[in-house]
Amino acid sequence: MEFPATRLRRLRSTPAMRSLVRETHLQPGALIYPLFICEGEGVRRPISSMPGVFNLSIDEALKEVEECASLGVGGVLLFGIPDSKDELGTGAYATDGIVQRAIKAIKATKAAQSLVTIADVCLCEYTSHGHCGVVARDGEHYSVENDSSVALIAKAAASLAVAGADIVAPSDMMDGRIAAIRLALDDAGKQNTPIMSYASKFASAFYGPFREAAGSTPQFGDRRTYQMDGANLREAMREIEQDVAEGADMLLMKPAMPYLDVVREARNRFDLPMGAYQVSGEYSMLHAAFERGWLEPERAMLESLLGIRRAGADFIVTYFAKDAAKLL
Ligand code: PBG
């Protein structure tokens, strides 16, 4: 046999040939765009570490939803920035909470019919201490309580579903929250609202810019007693198993790029629809390199998203959703 019989380069010869044999595809409908909703009117406050991302009042958020819909973006993921916070994060489950009001406004638009309105469910944006649950203090020591937090998180999920969220997405990492949320949703008459569980969420430095955006930096301590240790892949599978058993409808893995092996392993083991969250730090570091002219923006952005899809994610939560959709 002549060497080499197999020449893999034959199928790379032209754009058309490459397109024909492409294994992984990106499409706007599989992208979800996060929105940070604040009080006020006409507010569009830039987040310094996340170029192109803003804190938006509800009227401004509606413009974003409109644009996302026209670009074919699959969904929006809502985070709230309330004016006032307290120990128990009551803003998270207030009937007239900032996200509850935003959902009602969004769902009343025509644009909302062509995309999915997803509510992030957590307490950290609403608690004065910035933790994702109820804090118990004992002198110098503190702990983030599990079960009392779960009760409030379930309440928040139900109130967001009643406000009209198409999907609720708990991101707190308390144990047992999926079962509690399912019960609360059913009790509220929301049997048909799916739960997208941030099933495997690691305690990550890559959430840094988000905490500026959402004003949710813990005032003391860190999130390591509830979010996962970045070293643990097997434990991530146990987290997912648990959430599936409790009734999760879909999974969200987070962060994406530093944990693509975890995404792949989850894809191999579980058949639920699964997304990955390209988090704030992943976005910010790419933008920092774009600003310096060190990376080609469009190519690097699409490559970062393609990698996440190739690892096994069906959909991607990304601050690049609109930019990517424009190119696809
Ligand atoms: C809230 C929450 C966080 C993110 C999503 N939901 C922050 C955190 O856990 O500290 C991070 C998203 C991002 O970095 O883009 N629990």
Side-chain angles (χ1 to χ4, degrees):
M1 198 182 6
E2 285 280 314
F3 172 81
T6 301
R7 291 177 184 270
L8 291 165
R9 289 184 54 189
R10 285 174 196 138
L11 302 184
R12 290 177 209 148
S13 58
T14 64
M17 192 74 88
R18 293 193 291 275
S19 169
L20 194 68
V21 300
R22 189 155 296 135
E23 299 174 33
T24 310
H25 298 269
L26 284 171
Q27 49 166 47
L31 303 176
I32 296 170
Y33 189 57
L35 294 174
F36 299 100
I37 319 283
C38 64
E39 296 287 355
E41 221 176 293
V43 181
R44 184 168 275 270
R45 197 183 309 131
I47 296 155
S48 65
S49 52
M50 300 176 72
V53 180
F54 303 86
N55 286 174
L56 303 160
S57 51
I58 294 176
D59 56 325
E60 290 292 321
L62 291 179
K63 296 180 190 166
E64 295 288 325
V65 172
E66 174 82 44
E67 191 188 357
C68 284
S70 72
L71 290 167
V73 167
V76 289
L77 175 62
L78 307 181
F79 294 95
I81 302 150
D83 264 355
S84 65
K85 305 182 184 221
D86 56 37
E87 279 276 309
L88 296 176
T90 51
Y93 39 90
T95 312
D96 62 347
I98 181 71
V99 175
Q100 282 81 352
R101 277 181 283 135
I103 291 170
K104 280 185 199 134
I106 290 169
K107 292 297 288 180
T109 64
K110 192 154 185 296
Q113 292 171 17
S114 61
L115 47 72
V116 178
T117 302
I118 307 167
D120 183 89
V121 180
C122 198
L123 300 184
C124 65
E125 300 119 57
Y126 303 91
T127 51
S128 41
H129 44 69
H131 279 287
C132 304
V134 176
V135 169
R137 290 190 179 82
D138 177 14
E140 296 256 295
H141 300 278
Y142 79 95
S143 69
V144 177
E145 289 185 340
N146 194 83
D147 300 11
S148 55
S149 301
V150 165
L152 299 183
I153 286 158
K155 221 167 132 178
S159 113
L160 293 160
V162 167
D166 296 316
I167 297 177
V168 290
S171 64
D172 53 282
M173 290 303 281
M174 300 299 140
D175 287 321
R177 80 232 208 259
I178 301 300
I181 289 173
R182 186 70 267 158
L183 269 177
L185 290 174
D186 292 357
D187 275 352
K190 290 291 163 190
Q191 294 86 349
N192 292 324
T193 304
I195 303 173
M196 175 161 84
S197 173
Y198 285 75
S200 135
K201 175 172 176 181
F202 291 92
S204 173
F206 289 87
Y207 306 147
F210 172 96
R211 293 181 187 168
E212 181 203 334
S216 64
T217 309
Q219 298 303 301
F220 49 86
D222 55 41
R223 302 208 201 291
R224 287 171 213 259
T225 66
Y226 42 106
Q227 298 181 351
M228 288 186 49
D229 185 329
N232 296 356
L233 181 142
R234 292 193 304 264
E235 187 189 356
M237 299 304 115
R238 294 184 68 202
E239 280 285 0
I240 298 171
E241 249 164 43
Q242 193 85 41
D243 287 2
V244 172
E246 290 179 24
D249 298 281
M250 51 212 299
L251 305 170
L252 189 60
M253 313 291 288
K254 181 181 179 185
M257 201 175 70
Y259 297 90
L260 290 179
D261 57 324
V262 186
V263 174
R264 168 46 55 193
E265 187 67 20
R267 175 74 297 156
N268 291 347
R269 290 205 205 186
F270 301 95
D271 290 331
L272 275 74
M274 180 183 72
Y277 197 143
Q278 181 178 52
V279 300
S280 55
E282 300 178 60
Y283 176 84
S284 298
M285 69 182 180
L286 284 169
H287 260 283
F290 301 161
E291 277 174 19
R292 285 164 177 75
W294 289 351
L295 288 174
E296 274 179 62
E298 293 183 357
R299 287 187 58 204
M301 167 181 72
L302 292 178
E303 192 173 332
S304 73
L305 296 171
L306 197 63
I308 297 168
R309 285 271 299 119
R310 197 185 57 246
D314 300 313
F315 55 91
I316 305 172
V317 179
T318 173
Y319 302 96
F320 287 124
K322 289 192 302 173
D323 297 335
K326 284 174 196 159
L327 297 174
L328 297 171

